[in-house]
Each structure stands twice: as structure tokens, then as C-alpha cells.
């Protein structure tokens, strides 16, 4: 009977720990999403997995954001929308814990010169960004683009076992530079 009671308590304890971890993950993912949508660099840096900065410094990352979001050809504005998070399985791989989190992202790309090839650009955004919705507002000379993005949540010794995030890029180049082959395989990156 003691063994049975101990097993029940252990199972309940693990279930509670998992639920608590999922709630923390949801809270931290929301913080990361809001920071990104508002281009809050301090918030972005605070919620980013630290190993990312071994590859690209915070200053370089900020400069690339500045260049990407406002250059001679266009300006990109991220729009905070309901992210509609979809949390994958929380997986322990080695000493790290991971979760893939899908969410909605919306951006407005405003061109500085009159857009002529609207249909071609719409098709290009749909294929290259795997965009769910692409509409062109002629008055604004802007594309409104909605995509489903993926965050990789990571909790490990480096993060003091708190959740930090990085964006999953289309070709997983950054992931391959940071994570082991085992992680890439098990997360199907």
C-alpha cells in the first residue's frame, strides 16, 4: 500500500510540475511575443536564448533589425495581434528542455516607391514567407502580411532553467549552429 501511495503522489507531483512549467512557458512566450511585436530591444534581448549572442552580438542584431525594418526601399512595421499560440510537446533532450510554439505574426511592409508588380510580390511573399494572408493596400502602397511563425522555447542550465526563446528560421541555420544533431533530429528542425 505504501508503494501504491508513493506512486500516486509521485505521479500527481510530476503532473503538477508539468502544468506549472507549461503556465510559466505560456507567460514567458507572451513576453517574448510582445517584445518582438513592439521591437522592444531590451525585451527581445531579455527573452532571447543567450547562445544566440555567441553567434551575433546584440549590437549587430539591433543594427540588422534597424536596416531590415527601415531602409531605402521599404519600411516594415510589426503589428501586435492575438498570437493564437499553439504549444507543442515539452521535450527533455539531454540536459535541456524544449518546446516548439507556433503563433500568428502580422506585418505591414510599406514601399517608398509606387508598387507596380503587386501580383508577383503577393505570390513571392506567399511562397518565400509561407504567408497565410497577403493583401495590398494601394492607398498605403503597403502589403499586409500574416504568417504563422515558430518560436523554439529552451530551458537549460544556461538560462538558469527559465524559458528563453529563438525564432525558428525557414532553413534552421541558426538552430544548426546552436543545437546538437540529436536536438535537431528530435525536434524535427
Amino acid at each position: 500500500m505504501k508503494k501504491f501511495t508513493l506512486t500516486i503522489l509521485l505521479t500527481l507531483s510530476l503532473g503538477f510540475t508539468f502544468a506549472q512549467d507549461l503556465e510559466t512557458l505560456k507567460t514567458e512566450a507572451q513576453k517574448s511575443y510582445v517584445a518582438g511585436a513592439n521591437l522592444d530591444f531590451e525585451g527581445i534581448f531579455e527573452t532571447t536564448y543567450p547562445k544566440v549572442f555567441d553567434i551575433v552580438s546584440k549590437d549587430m542584431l539591433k543594427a540588422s533589425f534597424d536596416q531590415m525594418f527601415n531602409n531605402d526601399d521599404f519600411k516594415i512595421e510589426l503589428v501586435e495581434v492575438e498570437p493564437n499560440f499553439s504549444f507543442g510537446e515539452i521535450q527533455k533532450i539531454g540536459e535541456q528542455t524544449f518546446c516548439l510554439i507556433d503563433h500568428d505574426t502580422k506585418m505591414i511592409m510599406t514601399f517608398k516607391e509606387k508598387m507596380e508588380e503587386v501580383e508577383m510580390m503577393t505570390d513571392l511573399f506567399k511562397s518565400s514567407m509561407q504567408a497565410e494572408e497577403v493583401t495590398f493596400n494601394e492607398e498605403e502602397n503597403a502589403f499586409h502580411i500574416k504568417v504563422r511563425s515558430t518560436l523554439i522555447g529552451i530551458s537549460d542550465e544556461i538560462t538558469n532553467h527559465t524559458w528563453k526563446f529563438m525564432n525558428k528560421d525557414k532553413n534552421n541555420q541558426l538552430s544548426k549552429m546552436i543545437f546538437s544533431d540529436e536536438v535537431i533530429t528530435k525536434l524535427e528542425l
Side-chain angles (χ1 to χ4, degrees):
M1 184 67 172
K2 270 187 178 179
K3 241 183 182 180
F4 178 73
T5 304
L6 185 61
T7 302
I8 294 294
L9 288 174
L10 185 58
T11 303
L12 289 173
S13 169
L14 288 173
F16 178 74
T17 301
F18 175 77
Q20 199 173 32
D21 199 37
L22 181 59
E23 286 308 308
T24 303
L25 175 62
K26 288 178 178 181
T27 301
E28 294 304 310
Q30 181 69 31
K31 284 183 196 174
S32 179
Y33 171 79
V34 169
N38 292 297
L39 287 182
D40 168 12
F41 290 109
E42 288 307 312
I44 291 169
F45 297 154
E46 181 184 314
T47 60
T48 296
Y49 185 58
K51 278 194 172 186
V52 170
F53 304 122
D54 293 343
I55 296 167
V56 58
S57 72
K58 292 177 182 179
D59 289 338
M60 286 175 56
L61 194 57
K62 186 176 183 311
S64 72
F65 274 132
D66 288 341
Q67 173 61 30
M68 180 174 61
F69 283 90
N70 195 8
N71 57 57
D72 293 339
D73 299 320
F74 56 84
K75 179 180 103 172
I76 297 176
E77 175 187 357
L78 295 175
V79 179
E80 189 175 337
V81 295
E82 179 58 44
N84 297 313
F85 288 118
S86 172
F87 292 86
E89 175 187 354
I90 295 177
Q91 298 180 57
K92 182 103 169 125
I93 304 171
E95 297 299 313
Q96 297 177 298
T97 306
F98 295 92
C99 185
L100 298 180
I101 306 149
D102 294 329
H103 64 89
D104 290 336
T105 302
K106 183 175 180 183
M107 66 184 79
I108 300 172
M109 182 180 277
T110 306
F111 284 83
K112 297 183 179 174
E113 292 186 18
K114 184 168 173 31
M115 179 52 57
E116 301 290 337
E117 300 291 332
V118 173
E119 194 173 315
M120 181 193 73
M121 291 299 288
T122 299
D123 292 342
L124 180 66
F125 290 136
K126 283 182 177 180
S127 65
S128 68
M129 298 172 78
Q130 298 170 336
E132 294 178 354
E133 294 175 22
V134 179
T135 57
F136 183 71
N137 182 311
E138 193 171 342
E139 201 172 285
E140 296 174 348
N141 197 40
F143 287 93
H144 292 243
I145 304 166
K146 181 181 174 188
V147 297
R148 194 83 174 138
S149 302
T150 302
L151 283 174
I152 302 170
I154 307 110
S155 173
D156 61 16
E157 199 170 282
I158 294 167
T159 69
N160 293 318
H161 300 285
T162 61
W163 287 103
K164 300 296 179 185
F165 306 91
M166 59 183 271
N167 289 313
K168 179 186 177 301
D169 62 288
K170 188 175 179 182
N171 297 318
N172 296 308
Q173 292 175 338
L174 189 57
S175 299
K176 290 175 184 174
M177 296 168 76
I178 292 177
F179 302 124
S180 69
D181 290 340
E182 177 186 18
V183 168
I184 299 294
T185 301
K186 287 189 176 178
L187 293 180
E188 297 178 6
L189 297 177

